Amino acid sequence: LAAGVAALSPGGFLVYSVCSLEPEEGEAIIAQALASGEVSLVDDPRLPGGMGCLGLDGVGDGFFVAVLEKKQ
């Protein structure tokens, strides 16, 4: 993720997605990126708060996705 953020131009967008609902693979990674101060979380109406965990088959399989924007 850090390499992707470094490659972004100011105002550029990055979508981070993993096939996991584990917080250390989703929310924790995004929290680190936000703590760097280089990016902000995009408020995407399709994802509560700009990110979310989405179940695919109702049995626990799912994924995590967040949209980030590089600050100007």
Side-chain angles (χ1 to χ4, degrees):
L1 183 60
V5 169
L8 283 177
S9 297
F13 295 94
L14 185 144
V15 176
Y16 177 78
S17 181
V18 292
C19 295
S20 172
L21 297 177
E22 299 297 325
E24 63 272 9
E25 295 178 318
E27 290 96 337
I29 299 294
I30 295 303
Q32 289 174 357
L34 295 173
S36 76
E38 293 184 76
V39 294
S40 59
L41 194 59
V42 173
D43 185 16
D44 188 318
R46 295 165 290 185
L47 302 170
M51 63 181 179
C53 296
L54 307 170
L56 296 178
D57 65 6
V59 193
D61 289 348
F63 64 93
F64 171 89
V65 62
V67 181
L68 302 174
E69 181 177 8
K70 189 157 187 180
K71 293 181 179 178
Q72 298 286 338

